[in-house]
Amino acid sequence: MELLPSGDTVIKTGATYARDLAERVVTTFLQAFIATLVVTQPFDLSMWRTAALAGVAAAVALVKGVVARVISVTNSASLAKGV
């Protein structure tokens, strides 16, 4: 009876989680960037401030993904059960 998973399993699990988390962080950044670009003109924000706002959203997505990994050991960066 094996108490620990094999090295290949750990690497595959970590790689799957890292790919999932990277996708979520990048898409959150792009979504936030596009959304803030829409309000840049009315609120007279510079493009760099817009990028900074999107970066904050991406950082929150990163933290959420890490918390999800700590709370439930899965291959997903989601807090939803069964994902």
Side-chain angles (χ1 to χ4, degrees):
M1 181 174 176
E2 249 181 77
L3 294 178
L4 297 174
S6 70
D8 289 339
T9 301
V10 172
I11 290 171
K12 287 179 185 175
T13 301
T16 301
Y17 169 75
R19 192 170 45 250
D20 181 31
L21 183 58
E23 175 189 341
R24 290 168 190 263
V25 170
V26 169
T27 55
T28 298
F29 175 82
L30 291 174
Q31 291 166 342
F33 188 70
I34 291 167
T36 52
L37 275 178
V38 171
V39 298
T40 298
Q41 190 64 30
F43 294 111
D44 197 25
L45 297 173
S46 72
M47 187 166 164
W48 294 112
R49 286 187 182 170
T50 299
L53 290 171
V56 169
V60 171
L62 177 65
V63 169
K64 186 206 70 91
V66 171
V67 167
R69 176 67 174 201
V70 170
I71 289 174
S72 64
V73 181
T74 63
N75 292 337
S76 175
S78 175
L79 289 171
K81 297 289 181 201
V83 176

